[in-house]
Amino acid sequence: MHILFRASSILFTTGWLLLSINLHATSTTSIATSTTPNTAPSTVLVTIELNKYLGGTQGKLNNKPALNFKFTDTNGSANNTCSIITTDNYLRHSKNRLENINLSESNFYFDCQWDGTYYFLSNRVKTYAEVIIKQPDSQFPMSMHIEAKLVSLTGEQANIVSGDISLRRQAK
């Protein structure tokens, strides 16, 4: 009975994620540098705060069926997007927590294109992405909580954070 309930819960979660198409994202970006006496500034650190979801599409990751979720800033700028992509199988077996540390997980990926800079997970620099999927209840819709640390080709680092981002499907 418990296994049947868990299986139906996983299928319900996947169904909700597949149905969430038109949601929105906003963000704030801040840039900080730190210095110590008699040293050059350290790597620029960009903070991106996501709080709304654009929508999801079906696709492929490593030739496996996958879900792709997009986030953007308040203006919906094509220059500012973050993406989560995960295989269906990984999502179903993740126990509502997606995690990739230094490219250790091939079935889940997170990246951002922000103000003309591409930020990504790397196995050469300490990076990670974690997404917690919160199940819906009578008071709240299904939501995602995102935290990540990404790097650009030039070594610029970006911290991505969010509150609980609603995956509520909007009426057409």
Side-chain angles (χ1 to χ4, degrees):
M1 180 72 166
H2 178 69
I3 293 171
L4 182 58
F5 177 76
R6 182 71 181 148
S8 66
S9 173
I10 290 169
L11 290 174
F12 180 76
T13 300
T14 303
W16 263 99
L17 292 173
L18 286 171
L19 290 175
S20 58
I21 296 172
N22 280 328
L23 302 171
H24 308 287
T26 62
S27 67
T28 59
T29 303
S30 62
I31 299 176
T33 58
S34 60
T35 59
T36 54
N38 301 323
T39 63
S42 66
T43 304
V44 174
L45 181 65
V46 175
T47 299
I48 300 169
E49 185 176 331
L50 302 170
N51 60 22
K52 289 188 181 177
Y53 173 60
L54 274 179
T57 59
Q58 294 182 7
K60 296 268 186 192
L61 179 62
N62 297 325
N63 293 317
K64 299 175 190 171
L67 299 172
N68 189 1
F69 304 95
K70 295 269 186 190
F71 303 85
T72 189
D73 62 0
T74 320
N75 301 322
S77 169
N79 296 325
N80 295 334
T81 60
C82 291
S83 297
I84 294 170
I85 188 165
T86 181
T87 62
D88 289 339
N89 190 47
Y90 183 68
L91 180 64
R92 284 189 186 108
H93 295 94
S94 68
K95 298 182 181 177
N96 298 322
R97 183 176 180 206
L98 311 176
E99 185 175 58
N100 193 337
I101 300 170
N102 295 340
L103 291 176
S104 62
E105 178 53 60
S106 63
N107 295 302
F108 164 58
Y109 193 73
F110 183 81
D111 62 1
C112 295
Q113 179 72 37
W114 214 264
D115 291 332
T117 303
Y118 178 63
Y119 298 98
F120 54 93
L121 292 165
S122 171
N123 60 0
R124 295 179 186 209
V125 180
K126 288 184 180 184
T127 59
Y128 74 93
E130 179 181 42
V131 176
I132 298 171
I133 302 167
K134 297 186 178 181
Q135 296 300 315
D137 61 28
S138 62
Q139 307 257 333
F140 299 101
M142 182 176 288
S143 63
M144 285 184 175
H145 179 88
I146 302 167
E147 290 186 24
K149 181 177 181 181
L150 306 177
V151 67
S152 73
L153 288 173
T154 60
E156 183 179 6
Q157 296 179 354
N159 286 329
I160 293 84
V161 295
S162 80
D164 292 343
I165 301 172
S166 172
L167 299 182
R168 184 179 319 209
R169 185 176 179 192
Q170 293 183 349
K172 291 183 179 181

